[in-house]
Amino acid sequence: MGGLAQLKRRTRADYPFILEYRTRWSDNDMYDHMNNSIYNFLYDSVVNTYLIEHCGLQPPSSPQYGMVVHSHSDYFGSISFPAVAELGLRVNQLGRSSVRYEVALFEQGVDGVKAVGEFVHVFVDRATARPAADGMPRDLRIGLSKIMVRPVDSKL
């Protein structure tokens, strides 16, 4: 990812895939904003929605599945029920068997980003729970490459 100032400037245009989520009353905590644990739930949901809809992943039966090995979030503002969240997803790094996603949470109708998180999957064989010898399947790699953000050459 980038520095906090760079992340705080993220816009919806920085994310090739957007998924809406209607907040629920139960998402709020005692401080009347969305509880931090819900952010991880939402990050997992947007990633897996993309994998199922655009990469051919079938979680209960695919020969490989994504194991979360790292996640974190930086918070810039709060959101609460009854707001509609918009989750932006992009891939920042694609390895042989791993992928580093960046997820942003926006409130519908509000320009500023509320949170930016990172979510790392290692795709493992279902039978061994170890990274696949041949890496991730071709369809998965193709689907993920469609939302990959290419690094900008700073010399240009």
Side-chain angles (χ1 to χ4, degrees), residues 83-141:
V84 175
E86 295 173 332
L87 299 153
L89 178 66
R90 68 194 228 171
V91 168
N92 284 345
Q93 186 177 10
L94 188 57
R96 180 174 164 79
S97 62
S98 66
V99 58
R100 184 175 305 273
Y101 308 96
E102 183 178 300
V103 182
L105 187 140
F106 298 91
E107 182 176 343
Q108 192 174 64
V110 177
D111 288 335
V113 66
K114 299 295 185 180
V116 177
E118 185 173 71
F119 198 81
V120 178
H121 265 158
V122 172
F123 285 89
V124 299
D125 282 324
R126 185 170 301 283
T128 64
R130 302 290 309 153
D134 296 332
M136 67 181 75
R138 183 176 184 275
D139 288 348
L140 182 59
R141 180 171 296 285

Side-chain angles (χ1 to χ4, degrees), residues 49 61 69 71 103 114 116 132:
T49 297
S61 62
V69 297
S71 68
V103 182
K114 299 295 185 180
V116 177

Side-chain angles (χ1 to χ4, degrees), residues 11-107:
T11 68
R12 288 164 183 82
D14 293 316
Y15 300 91
F17 182 73
I18 302 286
L19 181 70
E20 285 186 2
Y21 172 79
R22 180 162 300 282
T23 60
R24 306 165 302 168
W25 176 253
S26 62
D27 293 339
N28 284 5
D29 61 18
M30 63 188 281
Y31 304 108
D32 199 30
H33 59 72
M34 193 162 65
N35 189 284
N36 293 355
S37 65
I38 302 300
Y39 287 82
N40 283 328
F41 162 77
L42 293 177
Y43 296 167
D44 189 55
S45 294
V46 68
V47 165
N48 282 293
T49 297
Y50 185 83
L51 292 173
I52 292 165
E53 292 180 356
H54 299 281
C55 300
L57 188 72
Q58 297 302 317
S61 62
S62 290
Q64 291 185 21
Y65 63 91
M67 181 180 292
V68 176
V69 297
H70 171 79
S71 68
H72 82 267
S73 191
D74 293 304
Y75 304 95
F76 306 115
S78 63
I79 184 172
S80 61
F81 177 84
V84 175
E86 295 173 332
L87 299 153
L89 178 66
R90 68 194 228 171
V91 168
N92 284 345
Q93 186 177 10
L94 188 57
R96 180 174 164 79
S97 62
S98 66
V99 58
R100 184 175 305 273
Y101 308 96
E102 183 178 300
V103 182
L105 187 140
F106 298 91
E107 182 176 343

